[in-house]
Amino acid sequence: MLEKTTTVNLLFDYYHSLLKERQKIFLQMYYHEDLSLSEIAELQQISRQAVYEQIKKAEQTLYDWENKLQLLARDRKREQVLDELQSCIQQLEEQQTLNDENAIPSLNKMRSMVEKLRAIDEGG
């Protein structure tokens, strides 16, 4: 369940603007505010079943958008490449590459590029 919650929250981050207002509200209440179906039903003055159906429909919409646009999948791949690059930088440092003064600026530049890419991904 935790993995599903994490995935839905990530998909929500990417695609919330494509959801209907009511879908956004239900997902926020359920996933972000951690309200139960019964609590949401009471607040919205509808049946618990109606809440369940709204949430399931909104989740399906998020998954449909991800299947079409692949934004989350691309982000995960990009993060994996950045991790691999960071690992390569560390390996070069550990292999005494720092004894070569010409390598130091290149390693620093690569490290800086990784940081810039991560900042872009975080919206910075």
Side-chain angles (χ1 to χ4, degrees), residues 24-53:
K24 283 189 238 184
I25 290 168
F26 281 96
L27 287 178
Q28 287 175 325
M29 293 173 93
Y30 188 71
Y31 284 104
H32 297 163
E33 298 172 27
D34 201 28
L35 297 178
S36 70
L37 297 176
S38 298
E39 291 170 323
I40 297 169
E42 186 177 324
L43 288 170
Q44 296 294 313
Q45 298 179 340
I46 60 175
S47 72
R48 185 181 178 285
Q49 182 64 31
V51 172
Y52 175 80
E53 290 171 4

Side-chain angles (χ1 to χ4, degrees), residues 8 18-19 35 57-58 72 76 110 112 117:
V8 170
L18 302 173
L19 293 172
L35 297 178
K57 185 176 181 180
L72 179 58
R76 286 180 170 168
M110 284 189 283
S112 174
L117 285 170

Side-chain angles (χ1 to χ4, degrees), residues 19-97:
L19 293 172
K20 295 176 183 175
E21 193 60 34
R22 192 162 172 89
Q23 291 174 321
K24 283 189 238 184
I25 290 168
F26 281 96
L27 287 178
Q28 287 175 325
M29 293 173 93
Y30 188 71
Y31 284 104
H32 297 163
E33 298 172 27
D34 201 28
L35 297 178
S36 70
L37 297 176
S38 298
E39 291 170 323
I40 297 169
E42 186 177 324
L43 288 170
Q44 296 294 313
Q45 298 179 340
I46 60 175
S47 72
R48 185 181 178 285
Q49 182 64 31
V51 172
Y52 175 80
E53 290 171 4
Q54 284 286 328
I55 290 171
K56 289 300 162 196
K57 185 176 181 180
E59 288 172 353
Q60 188 57 51
T61 300
L62 292 175
Y63 283 105
D64 289 346
W65 279 112
E66 176 60 13
N67 285 334
K68 292 175 185 172
L69 300 175
Q70 297 287 305
L71 297 178
L72 179 58
R74 289 179 189 171
D75 188 47
R76 286 180 170 168
K77 287 177 187 174
R78 183 174 40 254
E79 190 63 33
Q80 183 179 10
V81 169
L82 286 171
D83 289 344
E84 290 173 18
L85 179 58
Q86 185 69 43
S87 177
C88 288
I89 292 169
Q90 288 173 336
Q91 286 176 358
L92 286 172
E93 291 173 335
E94 290 168 5
Q95 294 171 356
Q96 302 299 325
T97 308

